[in-house]
Amino acid sequence: MKPFLDQDFLLSTETAKKLYHEVAEQMPIIDYHCHINPQEIAEDRKFDNISQVWLGGDHYKWRVMRAAGTTEDKVTGDADDREKFRAFAATMPQLIGNPLYHWSHLELQRGFGITEPLTPDNADEIYDKCNEILKGYSARSLMEKFNVKAICTTDDPVDDLHWHELIAADESFSIKVLPAFRPDKAVNIEKPGFDAYIRKLSGVVGRELTSAEDVAAALCERIAYFSAKGCLCADHGLDYCMYAAPDSAAANEAFALAMAGKKPDQALADAYKTLVTIACAKKYTELNWVMQIHFGCLRDNNKPQFAKLGPDTGYDAVNSQSGVENVAPLLNAFAENDGLPKIILYSLNPVDNTAIATIMACFQGGGVAGKMQQGSAWWFNDNRPGMRQQLIDLASNGVLGRFVGMLTDSRSFLSYTRHEYFRRVLCELIGEWVESGQYPADETQLRKLVEDLCYHNTNEFFRFGV
């Protein structure tokens, strides 16, 4: 029997162990998509206790705590931080088979040197030990501890990027912290609050926005602003991937309805979203940015809880109607507009893996290696079977050696162990292929593959220069 979470966790072959320990484990981290608050990095936040850095904002943990019977006061409410930690500790032994059990213990091991499993019996002891160790850490030093070289945060077009400017000007901090352009509030016209957001965007660009074309132009101005602040990528979050013929009349009808506080029907909304997205894609192409598209999420399903807690609090799910069939015409529209940028496609529905891999193959080319990317297993698929299947589906239908690899998609400074988790899964899979005779045991080629998939591909694709 293997010990729990030992040095060879998830590694069963000699090839896998060698590749992980001699190659993958040594590689730095680039976290090209996360939700960390740049203000916390600029101010080098210190955390009072483990609950603040570990449980605050982590809707993955909140979901399982609720499912285990924890009352909301100990999840997002006003219970004290020790009580919240105890509640999570009580949940942990029940999480057999859940990646949170692995991630959480990896975080305790790598961040605090704690190797015993967290249980209700040792919760207070571990809480106190972590808090004592945390006194020696800050946001920046945690990033340095995990050998992070660059990250991209998630930033709204109206953001002045003040915190990013402060970080960039601080020569004492060597990790690149770059913004990522996230225009969802200006694109997703069917969402509540669209009209108020457009007025806010109008104020930032200094003129009234009266049409879909005006919004597209305003977003392009903000893209240029972000570029001047070092931005290298954008991220579009869509409930489903839409496509409609980019019809200006339909797009403007949708815009007029939304600005009057009325919800346009799906056909009109899709015309607007398509038109604006095509314009953004062309601007990204001009700047050689990477465009990420996340789609296939049913958001804010529990309306009473959404009304109390707001978005990103653990009430989202997989959308079985992800719109994956619209990816091809959307990419084609980008190409016909001479604006097909480097793209990473993520669907929350794993059924879409093969469709994405085969669609994106139709748009590769131009001498850009891996120009079209299938994103890493996302969110509810961010687990061992999900990661393995995404890697297998991509390898079966594309060029796995050009894949840009893992990201955390996290709000926590302890979540970099997800890169370790991915690297272990990756090395185990490659080891299986090698030891079953499906790929040669060529150490030079294998080392290069693993180094590229863990670090170099991402660095080159995004142009981080680290």
Side-chain angles (χ1 to χ4, degrees), residues 398-414:
V399 182
L400 182 60
R402 300 305 313 188
F403 177 43
V404 293
M406 187 58 179
L407 52 96
T408 65
D409 193 28
S410 174
R411 292 164 173 80
S412 171
F413 290 96
L414 291 172

Side-chain angles (χ1 to χ4, degrees), residues 11-32:
L11 306 172
S12 64
T13 67
E14 290 306 309
T15 300
K17 294 172 187 176
K18 184 178 179 68
L19 288 174
Y20 178 73
H21 292 301
E22 295 185 9
V23 186
E25 189 174 20
Q26 312 304 319
M27 300 304 293
I29 287 172
I30 295 175
D31 200 31
Y32 59 87

Side-chain angles (χ1 to χ4, degrees), residues 381-401:
N381 308 299
D382 197 0
N383 49 56
R384 181 174 176 269
M387 289 177 183
R388 280 178 62 91
Q389 195 58 53
Q390 185 268 341
L391 289 166
I392 290 168
D393 290 340
L394 176 55
S396 298
N397 294 284
V399 182
L400 182 60

Side-chain angles (χ1 to χ4, degrees), residues 5 9-10 20 29 31 54 58 61 99-112 142 145-148 382 387 406-408 410 412-425:
L5 218 68
F9 174 59
L10 299 182
Y20 178 73
I29 287 172
D31 200 31
W54 213 36
D58 192 337
K61 293 185 175 80
L100 268 176
Y101 194 76
H102 298 150
W103 295 348
S104 299
H105 283 110
L106 283 173
E107 289 162 0
L108 289 174
Q109 282 195 17
R110 303 297 177 257
F112 304 97
L142 283 170
K145 179 178 179 62
F146 287 103
N147 198 17
V148 176
D382 197 0
M387 289 177 183
M406 187 58 179
L407 52 96
T408 65
S410 174
S412 171
F413 290 96
L414 291 172
S415 292
Y416 298 112
T417 55
R418 296 183 193 179
H419 285 265
E420 175 183 341
Y421 194 83
F422 166 80
R423 291 172 181 186
R424 289 177 178 273
V425 171

Side-chain angles (χ1 to χ4, degrees), residues 17 61 116 175 179 188 266 290-291 304 344 358 365 423 440:
K17 294 172 187 176
K61 293 185 175 80
E116 60 266 34
I175 298 172
N188 294 329
Q266 184 173 331
V290 174
M291 180 184 190
I344 308 177
T358 55
R423 291 172 181 186

Side-chain angles (χ1 to χ4, degrees), residues 49-97:
N49 58 63
I50 180 66
S51 293
Q52 289 182 1
V53 69
W54 213 36
L55 301 178
D58 192 337
H59 51 77
Y60 289 81
K61 293 185 175 80
W62 295 348
R63 285 168 71 96
V64 296
M65 291 171 73
R66 292 175 185 132
T70 305
T71 54
E72 196 64 34
D73 64 308
K74 295 176 182 175
V75 180
T76 62
D78 57 6
D80 70 40
D81 287 338
R82 184 181 290 272
E83 284 300 312
K84 289 179 178 179
F85 187 84
R86 287 171 176 165
F88 183 63
T91 301
M92 280 285 277
Q94 304 173 66
L95 296 181
I96 185 170

Side-chain angles (χ1 to χ4, degrees), residues 333-393:
F334 294 169
E336 289 184 333
N337 193 46
D338 294 324
L340 180 66
K342 294 178 289 186
I343 289 178
I344 308 177
L345 298 163
Y346 311 78
S347 174
L348 197 52
N349 192 332
V351 174
D352 296 340
N353 281 355
T354 299
I356 288 174
T358 55
I359 290 169
M360 74 184 198
C362 301
F363 296 92
Q364 301 283 18
V368 180
K371 180 176 181 178
M372 300 290 114
Q373 292 274 339
Q374 180 181 8
S376 62
W378 172 38
W379 203 342
F380 303 120
N381 308 299
D382 197 0
N383 49 56
R384 181 174 176 269
M387 289 177 183
R388 280 178 62 91
Q389 195 58 53
Q390 185 268 341
L391 289 166
I392 290 168
D393 290 340

